[in-house]
Amino acid sequence: MHDQSATETISALTTDGETGLTIIEAKNRLLNVGPNALEQGKSTSIFTLLMRQFKSPIVFLLLASAILSFSHASWSDGIAILIVLLINTCIGFFMEHKAERSMDALRGLTKTFSKVIRSGSLIEINTSDIVPGDLIYLEAGDIIPADARIINAYQLQVDESALTGESIPAEKNNKELPLDTPLADRTNLLHKGTAVTRGNAKAVVIATGMNTELGKIASLVQHSEDVTTPLEKKLSQFSKKLIWITLLIAAAIFLTGIVNDKSFVQMLNTVIALSVAAIPEGLPIVATLALAHGMIKMAKRNVIVKKLASVETLGGTNIICTDKTGTLTYNKISVSHIITPDFNSKLNTTDTTSFRLTLQAMTLCNNANINDGQNNAGDVGDPLEVGLLHFATNRGLDPTVIKSTLPRVSEEPFSSETKVMGTHHVTTDGSVTFTKGAAESIISLCTHYRDGETSKEFSKIEKEKWLAVSEAEASNGLKVIAFAHKASKSKETAITLSDLTFLGIASLIDPPREDVADAIHLCHKAGIRVIMITGDHPATARNIASQIGIEHGDVMQGASMPSREIYTKEDKTKWRATSIFARVSPAQKLDLIEVLQEDQSIVAMTGDGVNDAPALKKADIGIAMGMRGTDVAKEVADMVLKDDSFSSIVTAIKEGRVILENIRKFLMFLLSSNLSEILVIATLFITNSPLTITPLQILFINLLSDVFPALALGFNTGSDAIMHRPPHDPKKPVLSNLQWMSVIIYAIIIAASTFSSTIYMADDHEHSSASTILFYTLILCQLLHVFNVGNHRQAFFKSDIAKNSYVWAALAISILLGVLAYIIPPFKDALRLGNLNGTHLLIIFGCALQSFVIIQVFKKLNVIH
Ligand SMILES: Nc1ncnc2c1ncn2[C@@H]1O[C@H](COP(=O)(O)OP(=O)(O)OP(=O)(O)O)[C@@H](O)[C@H]1O
Ligand SMILES: [Cu+]
């Protein structure tokens, strides 16, 4: 296609270079060629998942003990261990399977949209619905949705590194090329998956889905990503450490065993029981499940988190850098009034020529399209431009008519660096340029201004007067856009932005979102600073900031921020103390983030443009806007806000904190209950007690106490108190020293309470009943312990754990299983359970309650946390 002209390509694809495909034809083609999507890599197969379950050391340990049991002809023991092994594997398998499914579901949430021209109007459709022959419209920040041939392009630059690895953007245009041009040099072709970094273009789609260059590569390599999060890594390191500790204890047991002349089988049983007690195999996967559950919850609240790891980072965020337009405001921009040298629409004076010219500038120097619900299509484009178009149309200007009488021949696309945009049009007797942009930028480009029918010299005094007018407008919280034009006798088609004639300004309303003030208040309570970084006028920024409660102080302007090569320590200190940054360029955003991060801050930052990509990557949490953001921003971001709203960031941070807190809770719960088991087994062994706890019993206890209650803790909704304290520093260990101390004290209290049951027993008890009492007391102590890991400052029934119905359900299941084990004879035999009477039951309940009460009292006394 690159060796044909655009027109030839268009006819080869039987489409229309102006109006595109008809909607019906597009539908037919979609049925024929299929969706414009790459085939997804396969997710982990059921078999791999199953095999993964056999990788843990505990499985080998159990297998070994089963074999040992069989070799000693204790068949029931061997079979029982195998059954437990099976149950454990199944639970592990289903948990991982659930986690995988959740991740799949989350991947499906990120839908992308593209702008196409169909039946003559510019509309937005699902990227997967694009078909060959479609006309696509692309601008800076778009990721090219399919392979396409350029029809026309204005200063188009494309970053093709996704395809070729070449990171310097390539210039693109519509010129024909020789047939033998290599792929990388085909400057008139655009490829799916590459990104527009500058300019804009209209192109015709030549290939979609797996037929694109990207599709051909994608079918060669199905890349897989490493998805282990730092937290999961920390937890599996944790598990590994525990295995070593267990080995040490096991060695100690063997030594004391030899000294005390114990039988080999007895020692082996104790060691196996100990290992089963000590190794929390479920730890990393329970954490994954909690994180995945959190992601799904956030997705329901319009926040798409792309990586599990971000959920963790979110919980530790202490600075949010947010832009203004669209995040703090509604971004439904409408023109309030127009002021030109001879006209003020607020005062409802009659139209003048300069006002008419301003309306033309608004309409022509504009890439938006208002569809007014025709073909079910909404307005497409930058909300600011949509607002301007609506105003001009309401004042009687027909965009279609004026666009055809003054056809556009070239364009200087808007960039947040220059803050201006310009378009060049040919007329019957020459050409004309229209520009719009930030007032300072436009005024500095003007040499004249238009007053009525005449053009006058734009003196310094006059310029300052207009800067003051825009400053006054901006300090009322309005967004100010200035307009200029330049008419010329030549038929020149290239655009130059100089010697312009100033036309006037438009003041636009973009009110702050209603819920933002509350969200910011909540941030301050939670120890999170909110910093506004905007490309807008400082006065507008200050007004909006005060409306929503962002702390005051000086507004820092981009112009007074020295570049990274020369900024000083004082500059950095000043930046860190500032909360409002205005007229800031994307490069300065990047510098600012670095300076904030040097100060050990965890920075979340929002961005939408293609130039924001480096800053989004650099931030600890890069946040892109789902509606307003460019494809590039969404691609590099860690998180996408579907509703573009600031409050959603705060919701996500809260959710992140709740999840971390939940993981910490079940970590403490698991560690303390497992430690209590170790204490019980070791004490029995060392004191040469006639009572026993068998490995199988420990496995059973862990099945009851580790699986269901620990999972249920992951579903805690968290209390509001979580946003009333400063964030947890992710660089610190998961558990503080104080929390470790608490774990140890918990374990000692549980073990001691379990042993206290022996005191209450009558002297003539049978050993089998006594061991059974010990067994059930340990279980019940642990089950009640689930309520202990809550916040110590909260009353029991108000705590989020007591309110979590999953916890109650988990307890019910666990207790039921405990009872069934006693009632069903084969289980009772395998678990070596003796008979219990009413008094025994009383002892069990009493001791469990005792352990619960002691811990609660300790907590109230602030001894443990
Ligand atoms: N499409 C446009 N054409 C011309 N000028 C524009 C356009 N959009 C914005 N501007 C001008 O450029 C300035 C900077 O725009 P930019 O997009 O960087 O920030 P913003 O949208 O005002 O605010 P924020 O950074 O909070 O999103 C604006 O204040 C406005 O004056
Ligand atoms: Cu346990």
Side-chain angles (χ1 to χ4, degrees), residues 424-449:
H424 195 66
H425 309 258
V426 285
T427 57
T428 41
D429 55 352
S431 62
V432 58
T433 306
F434 286 105
T435 61
K436 73 173 194 301
E440 320 88 277
S441 315
I442 290 288
I443 288 173
S444 73
L445 295 173
C446 293
T447 49
H448 290 76
Y449 72 98

Side-chain angles (χ1 to χ4, degrees), residues 670 673-674 677 701-702 705-706 782:
L670 282 186
S673 35
N674 286 20
E677 288 160 20
I701 296 178
N702 279 354
S705 71
D706 287 5
Q782 291 193 359

